[in-house]
Each structure stands twice: as structure tokens, then as C-alpha cells.
Amino acid sequence: MKLIREEVEAVEVLCEEVKGKKTFYIQGPFLQGDIKNRNGRIYESNILAKEVKRYNEAYIHKNRAMGELGHPDGPTVNLDRVSHKITRLEQDGSNFIGKAKILETPMGRIAGALLNDGVTLGVSSRGMGSLVNRNGVNYVGEDFMLATAADIVADPSAPDAFVQGIMEGKEWIWDNGLLKEREVQDAYNRIEQSVVSNTLNEQTLIEFERLLFS
């Protein structure tokens, strides 16, 4: 499975003020289906609809749908970087319109300050899935799962190579319900085999340590 990210520019900023306290929201098309995006991928809307239904039930309806400020390079939402809570994600034709509340976290305050000063920000969905090539076009497979419907990014129009270089340079696999980098898992498997065959050496351990802490 690959870590897949798609960026969207058309995001609206809303501001609600109660007793002098401002609360910012962002809303717009967080996911877009049935069109070839600038990363050369197509998400079929029926696959997105199925995953959005699961994401709503498992995360949004339980107040667990969060996103980060910046460009995370893995499928996990890091609590120390959470900036907003996704409050809505609904289908509108082939698009899925989302809304997110900027939180009073350290990263949320940074995002709020940027929005308050008129900085234009975009959003980027983050998910896991396989890619199926059909007639030269990459379709996202039926195993697609959202990690978050929206991270906040500063440069939603970044070149494709930049996005792919950060987000698609690693393969991920499921292992007993956990996502692990394939390279790390392969090294771990080599260590296990070496222990069984009594051929474990220092170089193998050094390699594994480098992968874990790089």
C-alpha cells in the first residue's frame, strides 16, 4: 500500500466571533472523484463514498477526525501537530465537501494567526491504498482508507514531484492491524531469519537501527 496525498486549493475560510473570541473554520471540496487530478490519479466516486461513510462513522461522528498543520510523512495523525478538527464531510456529486474547526492547540493557534492575517492556505487529504494502472492512468484501489480528510498546507499548488517525493517514497504494509514501513519490516524479517539460522551479525543490527531512527 502507498501513502497517497491529494491537495486542494479551493478552500473557503469562515470566522465566527462570540464575545470577542474568533473561531476559524475552513470548508470546501476536501476530496474529488471521477477526475484525473494533477498527480495523475483518479478516485472513483463510489470508492470515495464507501470510505467517507466509514470515516464519518468511525471518526467525525465520534469527534476523532483530526488533521495536522504541515506535511506529515506517514499515515499516523500526530497529536502534537494537530491543528483542526474535521466536523463534516458530505458528498456533493463527485466531490466531498468538508468543514473543519481550527483548534486552540499550538499548531491550531499558528493556523488561526495565519488565517487571521489573510494568508491563503490549502488542504491535503492523506490516505493509504493501492494504485491500479488502467490504460496508462493510475486509479486508486478499493482498499483506499483515509488517515485524515484534511491536513492544512501552505503550498497547495506544489509541483507533483515534490508531493510524490515526500509522500510516496515509502511502501507501507499491514502487520497485525498496524501500519509499518516495508523497508523496516523487511529488515526486521531478515533479523528474525538470522536469529533462527544463527547467522545474526552486527552489520544487520546496525542497518535495522539506521532504518528505525532515520
Side-chain angles (χ1 to χ4, degrees):
M1 299 177 76
K2 284 186 175 292
L3 183 61
I4 307 172
R5 202 163 93 176
E6 309 296 349
E7 297 175 342
V8 176
E9 299 179 46
V11 178
E12 180 185 3
V13 178
L14 306 176
C15 180
E16 296 181 1
E17 188 167 349
V18 179
K19 295 181 180 179
K21 181 180 179 181
K22 291 182 178 180
T23 301
F24 285 99
Y25 292 84
I26 54 174
Q27 69 175 15
F30 286 5
L31 302 165
Q32 297 176 306
D34 299 327
I35 61 170
K36 185 177 179 180
N37 61 31
R38 66 169 168 265
N39 292 324
R41 292 186 286 265
I42 293 178
Y43 293 75
E44 294 174 292
S45 58
N46 63 310
I47 292 176
L48 286 179
K50 179 182 176 182
E51 176 53 16
V52 166
K53 182 177 183 293
R54 183 199 70 85
Y55 187 77
N56 268 294
E57 293 172 352
Y59 292 94
I60 292 179
H61 295 165
K62 296 181 180 179
N63 292 314
R64 298 174 56 224
M66 297 172 289
E68 298 182 38
L69 178 66
H71 285 281
D73 61 358
T76 303
V77 175
N78 303 289
L79 293 180
D80 61 336
R81 296 197 57 84
V82 165
S83 58
H84 57 284
K85 179 177 73 172
I86 298 152
T87 60
R88 189 176 71 220
L89 190 59
E90 300 174 347
Q91 186 169 4
D92 180 16
S94 294
N95 292 336
F96 294 81
I97 309 302
K99 183 177 182 180
K101 177 184 179 181
I102 305 300
L103 300 175
E104 285 295 319
T105 60
M107 292 299 172
R109 287 194 290 271
I110 292 173
L114 293 170
L115 294 172
N116 189 52
D117 285 340
V119 175
T120 300
L121 298 173
V123 297
S124 173
S125 64
R126 187 164 29 123
M128 297 292 302
S130 59
L131 297 176
V132 181
N133 190 279
R134 302 179 197 162
N135 299 319
V137 178
N138 281 325
Y139 284 77
V140 176
E142 294 186 6
D143 57 355
F144 177 68
M145 294 181 65
L146 279 170
T148 178
D151 290 315
I152 294 177
V153 294
D155 187 10
S157 57
D160 294 349
F162 176 73
V163 176
Q164 293 171 354
I166 292 177
M167 303 310 299
E168 297 188 354
K170 300 175 182 177
E171 289 278 353
W172 299 77
I173 57 175
W174 286 105
D175 182 18
N176 294 323
L178 298 175
L179 281 168
K180 296 182 179 180
E181 288 183 40
R182 182 177 296 277
E183 190 178 4
V184 172
Q185 185 63 29
D186 288 347
Y188 181 77
N189 291 340
R190 287 198 296 275
I191 288 176
E192 279 195 326
Q193 293 169 3
S194 298
V195 170
V196 171
S197 60
N198 199 29
T199 60
L200 182 64
N201 56 49
E202 184 178 358
Q203 184 58 40
T204 303
L205 292 175
I206 291 173
E207 176 192 2
F208 185 59
E209 183 176 303
R210 176 184 63 78
L211 289 171
L212 283 179
F213 297 103
S214 60

